[in-house]
Amino acid sequence: MPKVSYDHRAVTIDGRRVLLLSGAIHYPRSTPDMWRLLMERSKEAGLNAIETYVFWNFHERRRGVYDFSDRLDIRRYLQTAHELGLYVILRIGPYICAEINYGGFPVWLRDVPGIQLRTDNEVFLREKEKWVRLFCDYVRPYFAPNGGPIILAQIENEYGNVAWMYGEAGERYLRRVAEMAESLQVGVPWVMCKGSAPGTIETLNAFYAHPLLDDYFAKYPDKPALWTEHWPGWYDLWGYPHNRRTPEDVAYAAARFFAGGGTGMNYYMWHGGTNFDREACYLQTTSYDYDAPLDEYGLPTTKMYHLARLHRILQEYAPVLVESERATPEVLPEGVTAYTYSRDGRTLVFLCNDDEAKAVRVSYEGRRYNLPPKSVTLIAAGTLLMNTAQVEPRYIVEPRMVIADPNLSPFQWWVEPSPSETYTPLHPPVLSDKPVEQLQFTHDETDYCWYVAKLMVLPDQAGAGVLELQAVADVVHVFVDGQFVGTTQPPLIEDRDLDDPESFTQRFQTNLTAGEHTLAILCCALGVIKGDWMLGKHNMVDERKGFWGTLIWRGEPLQVPWRITAGLQGEHGRVYAEGSALVKWESSLEVARGKPLCWWKTEFERPKTDAPLALDLSGMTKGIAWLNGRCIGRYWMAPGTGKPSPWLAPAVYQEGEGQPTQRYYHLPKEWLRDRNLLVLFEEVGGDPTQVRLCYRV
Ligand code: GAL
């Protein structure tokens, strides 16, 4: 059985060094029938490995109840990789970040008494070890020494980003984590990215990893340089423009890394896919396209074809690269750096022009080469194999959405009742003299929580004014006496600070007459945070949703008792599935157009096309969508007006400023039937006559 190890140059399998070209495909972000095709396409594009995180939060949604079915059938995923001859890098975490709900932790962890996450806390370490042991036993046959495809495993994730918060406790934690991993005896090397403990290989995550190599080898002369996250694009946030990265820049960064002596690289993401259901973390869009080489629907992009050319060259010269020592850089008179790898009479040269703006003409071994700005030219035996800045025109793909036939039947509607009426809530309502954050009632089984109070407005407080909610999250819709008053305006801030009240304060302009009013606030969570830094200097357990602060009217705090109700009536009655038959749907579209809190349903026949399907939700505002009872995700047409984080700038550019953040929503083929039920819960108000079924070409 294969023995996996490593030396100072590369990962070794049965003593042979391998060059690892890997791509991340997260199994829950596509459907099982897509996995084989995704992996086949990856292989065709020259990858020899795939990588995935493991999603504890989905495998154990309820404490002690495990799920490995359907999109969570990781054994099927591993088996498929194995059948295709692909290695697997398994990043177990179980903290994974990944733009996924609670960074991969089940939300019930918050309720375990005495817990603090990702630090030297016995309660957390016990829960974590229990899961990791169970999981590793579950996939044990798939580790390489047992004949399976898994050659590397990761424990924890980027602890370096939070270590400063935990000091010595953090160091102890990381050591204990590494010891626990070792004790599992999976038989393959353990890696840790950005921060590590003895016994593991520390790996790199970056847009450009070559500038990190000298320090890496100085610190770890006996270890190979592995790049666990090469970001070929970036994730999108509601209310922000679409993030993109050019194929040329990704190829430059990849080639530059191998030139500098790296021997293993994983694209994060190679296929981003979809955050179905309520699986996205706070503010993360339903699409996780990531501008990755395989698009959200699994189709090849220009980036994939361009990188595939580079991969073929790297694979062809893999023995030359891994069997030589790290090349000594040779700076040419023109300022270009050459890296030469030679072995058994074969040579691969990388000519690197790192200048961002200037093209350079160089003479090298008797030939002349034009090097565009920020590019790597690969040369063998005097033949130019590729320049990373030149995309061949035949590989340019221009994807489009086409309206599918047949079309949707006329929409029907039903209005979500307000919680003060006859209402069967998900959990019994809670009466409290002050607002209480919602996760302790919803346990994150729903995004929604109602906060209802009676207000007595005295004559001197009557008139126009600002209703202020201090300590509220994430999106809220405010109703007074059943009338819609206002909603949270995007963009929201990605990294907030619990100690900065302004981060969690929202204000609504309204008019209140003297007398009694019913104030109803519907709080809508947008996913649970993915890491401590999203709360300021707080542990992830401190995450809060809903309303837990002060209500202020015209500058004066109002002390009122609250009735707090978790979830929607329509969710509880599953009106998006079999419960659809139990409510009385109305057909008069004109009456409901633009109404808040409206459930919409339509039906359609299975489209004839084989192409991937999507829903164009133009005309709608914000809510959740279901296909045949399965949740396809949150939707929000929030315009992309937010300013991107400046640190992305060297690699990432923006597109679609001011446009709806996400217009198209993936409808997986496997969820379709001959006759299909599509249900939307629209929170703010929409016009479904503009909604279309589309396919991607
Ligand atoms: C990394 C993290 C990943 C993912 C990525 C951004 O820092 O390790 O899990 O969150 O950033 O997509």
Side-chain angles (χ1 to χ4, degrees), residues 53 96-99 157-158 205 229 231 234-235 268 288 290:
Y53 276 134
I96 58 173
C97 195
E99 289 70 70
N157 191 77
E158 293 194 336
N205 292 349
E229 292 185 30
W231 305 308
W234 198 245
Y235 58 82
Y268 181 101
Y288 198 59
Y290 217 90

Side-chain angles (χ1 to χ4, degrees), residues 109-397:
L109 276 181
R110 292 176 73 255
D111 299 330
V112 183
I115 203 161
Q116 287 283 296
L117 306 179
R118 302 184 74 201
T119 185
D120 193 18
N121 170 283
E122 294 305 325
V123 182
F124 171 59
L125 283 162
R126 189 185 65 223
E127 292 297 334
K128 173 183 159 129
E129 177 165 352
K130 187 169 158 207
W131 159 250
V132 174
R133 277 195 191 283
L134 178 140
F135 177 78
C136 286
D137 283 342
Y138 184 74
V139 297
R140 198 165 285 277
Y142 294 92
F143 284 97
N146 305 324
I150 307 168
I151 55 162
L152 292 173
Q154 179 179 303
I155 196 83
E156 247 295 338
N157 191 77
E158 293 194 336
Y159 198 71
N161 287 352
V162 295
W164 63 273
M165 266 178 63
Y166 299 107
E168 277 179 21
E171 281 169 34
R172 276 199 310 276
Y173 162 71
L174 211 58
R175 273 200 307 275
R176 290 182 70 178
V177 163
E179 282 159 20
M180 189 270 283
E182 199 50 51
S183 77
L184 296 167
Q185 302 200 328
V186 294
V188 302
W190 285 97
V191 302
M192 274 190 180
C193 58
K194 271 200 180 172
S196 72
T200 63
I201 309 177
E202 177 160 356
T203 60
L204 309 167
N205 292 349
F207 284 110
Y208 308 98
H210 61 277
L212 309 173
L213 287 172
D214 285 346
D215 284 352
Y216 181 85
F217 286 118
K219 193 167 171 194
Y220 302 113
D222 302 331
K223 290 183 179 162
L226 305 177
W227 189 3
T228 28
E229 292 185 30
H230 178 187
W231 305 308
W234 198 245
Y235 58 82
D236 285 339
L237 300 174
W238 300 119
Y240 291 77
H242 180 42
N243 287 314
R244 303 207 60 181
R245 188 176 179 198
T246 65
E248 295 89 332
D249 196 49
V250 183
Y252 162 78
R256 202 63 190 69
F257 176 71
F258 289 101
T263 52
M265 174 189 65
N266 174 58
Y267 295 101
Y268 181 101
M269 300 294 298
W270 176 256
H271 170 255
T274 311
N275 293 308
F276 293 113
D277 205 336
R278 299 168 44 255
E279 296 175 1
C281 80
Y282 166 65
L283 210 56
Q284 170 65 50
T285 55
T286 292
S287 169
Y288 198 59
D289 180 82
Y290 217 90
D291 202 23
L294 289 175
D295 75 8
E296 176 172 7
Y297 303 91
L299 299 178
T301 62
T302 307
K303 198 174 279 175
M304 189 206 83
Y305 290 120
H306 187 54
L307 294 171
R309 288 177 59 209
L310 175 66
H311 300 159
R312 279 184 212 111
I313 299 167
L314 293 170
Q315 290 296 9
E316 193 183 331
Y317 286 87
V320 176
L321 290 169
V322 294
E323 294 305 334
S324 330
E325 289 309 308
R326 193 183 170 211
T328 309
E330 178 195 351
V331 182
L332 307 184
E334 297 86 348
V336 162
T337 315
Y339 293 83
T340 305
Y341 289 86
S342 294
R343 185 83 191 175
D344 299 331
R346 298 174 75 214
T347 299
L348 184 66
V349 181
F350 300 81
L351 291 183
C352 306
N353 178 11
D354 295 330
D355 195 298
E356 308 249 334
K358 232 175 53 215
V360 188
R361 237 176 119 67
V362 293
S363 296
Y364 189 74
E365 295 189 336
R367 287 173 200 251
R368 293 185 71 73
Y369 299 95
N370 286 324
L371 309 186
K374 221 183 175 190
S375 73
V376 179
T377 301
L378 292 97
I379 304 166
T383 306
L384 189 153
L385 302 176
M386 177 179 185
N387 181 286
T388 55
Q390 283 156 358
V391 174
E392 288 191 9
R394 68 189 161 124
Y395 290 136
I396 295 179
V397 180

Side-chain angles (χ1 to χ4, degrees), residues 397-524:
V397 180
E398 282 169 357
R400 277 180 309 125
M401 284 289 182
V402 179
I403 295 180
D405 196 33
N407 230 319
L408 306 171
S409 70
F411 273 88
Q412 295 186 308
W413 56 276
W414 174 71
V415 174
E416 169 72 22
S418 97
S420 49
E421 295 164 20
T422 338
Y423 194 83
T424 328
L426 208 54
H427 298 286
V430 174
L431 300 174
S432 166
D433 54 7
K434 47 179 196 302
V436 183
E437 80 81 34
Q438 78 180 45
L439 287 173
Q440 43 191 296
F441 308 124
T442 65
H443 302 283
D444 198 38
E445 288 164 11
T446 166
D447 281 353
Y448 300 105
C449 193
W450 280 106
Y451 292 77
V452 180
K454 292 265 185 253
L455 304 184
M456 182 52 86
V457 176
L458 301 173
D460 64 332
Q461 294 174 319
V466 175
L467 191 71
E468 183 171 314
L469 306 177
Q470 282 184 355
V472 71
D474 296 310
V475 169
V476 302
H477 310 305
V478 179
F479 300 83
V480 174
D481 301 327
Q483 296 301 308
F484 184 67
V485 164
T487 182
T488 307
Q489 291 308 312
L492 275 68
I493 307 164
E494 184 181 14
D495 295 337
R496 299 177 291 191
D497 183 351
L498 265 183
D499 300 321
D500 164 20
E502 208 38 48
S503 302
F504 289 93
T505 295
Q506 299 195 22
R507 297 177 182 88
F508 303 89
Q509 187 74 43
T510 186
N511 208 314
L512 294 179
T513 53
E516 195 185 73
H517 295 284
T518 303
L519 172 68
I521 301 167
L522 181 62
C523 291
C524 315

